[in-house]
Amino acid sequence: MTYFTNEQARTIICDAYAKVSSNGHAVAESFYTQKELATVPEQAMALALGVGNPVRHAGLRPGESVLDLGCGAGIDTLLAASAVGSDGHVIGIDMTPEMVDRARRNVLAAGFTQVDIKDGLIEELPVHDGSMDVIISNGVLNLSTRKSRVLAEATRVLRPGGRVSITDLVLTEELPEDVLKSPAALAG
């Protein structure tokens, strides 16, 4: 049973992520190596909010085009840009204006020119059909009330033979109703 409309869920999530702040690197240091983190600006590390490291499992190669669904402050977008190099291209998408702004600042701080950060919904990707070699996402698919729509969009924008690397939360049992009705739980 769904307790929030799509619009209510988006508002709750945007409000929560607009306010998020961090002074530590605990999440980043849990999922990324020191070598990976050495190339990432401080603010991208401090705002790492994911649940894994999709870049490590994506098998990225120089020159590839990568799409990061729900890029947040951009840690995975930046790691993907390092992996694909200056001949590659990385697009980060996020629906939270504050996170889009943070990601753009982190891209500038890292000095990447092959990265675009776009404001958009992962259910309605602002990306051309068949234009991406790889899609990555870190702890974001679970936030969508329309997961099948996200996966359909991912399929639409992938080139033939493209790859997807998603790290996310997986439930092995049903959540209690009070958790399902909680805006705080919805936003993570």
Side-chain angles (χ1 to χ4, degrees), residues 63-97:
E64 288 188 310
S65 295
V66 180
L67 177 62
D68 185 359
L69 303 179
C71 68
I75 191 167
D76 294 307
T77 305
L78 297 171
L79 292 173
S82 289
V84 301
S86 59
D87 290 336
H89 184 236
V90 181
I91 300 172
I93 305 281
D94 206 281
M95 71 174 184
T96 308

Side-chain angles (χ1 to χ4, degrees), residues 81-165:
S82 289
V84 301
S86 59
D87 290 336
H89 184 236
V90 181
I91 300 172
I93 305 281
D94 206 281
M95 71 174 184
T96 308
E98 291 81 2
M99 284 298 181
V100 168
D101 182 55
R102 290 170 178 177
R104 286 178 176 155
R105 282 186 273 146
N106 287 327
V107 168
L108 285 173
F112 289 120
T113 58
Q114 77 275 34
V115 178
D116 292 319
I117 303 296
K118 297 184 179 189
D119 183 11
L121 301 174
I122 60 175
E123 298 88 356
E124 301 169 18
L125 293 171
V127 178
H128 295 293
D129 294 0
S131 60
M132 298 282 105
D133 295 305
V134 182
I135 293 176
I136 60 173
S137 184
N138 192 351
V140 176
L141 184 60
N142 75 88
L143 298 173
S144 176
T145 57
R146 300 175 61 207
K147 293 164 186 54
S148 61
R149 184 73 217 138
V150 175
L151 296 174
E153 279 290 278
T155 301
R156 177 185 67 80
V157 304
L158 274 177
R159 289 188 175 119
R163 305 180 309 280
V164 177
S165 180

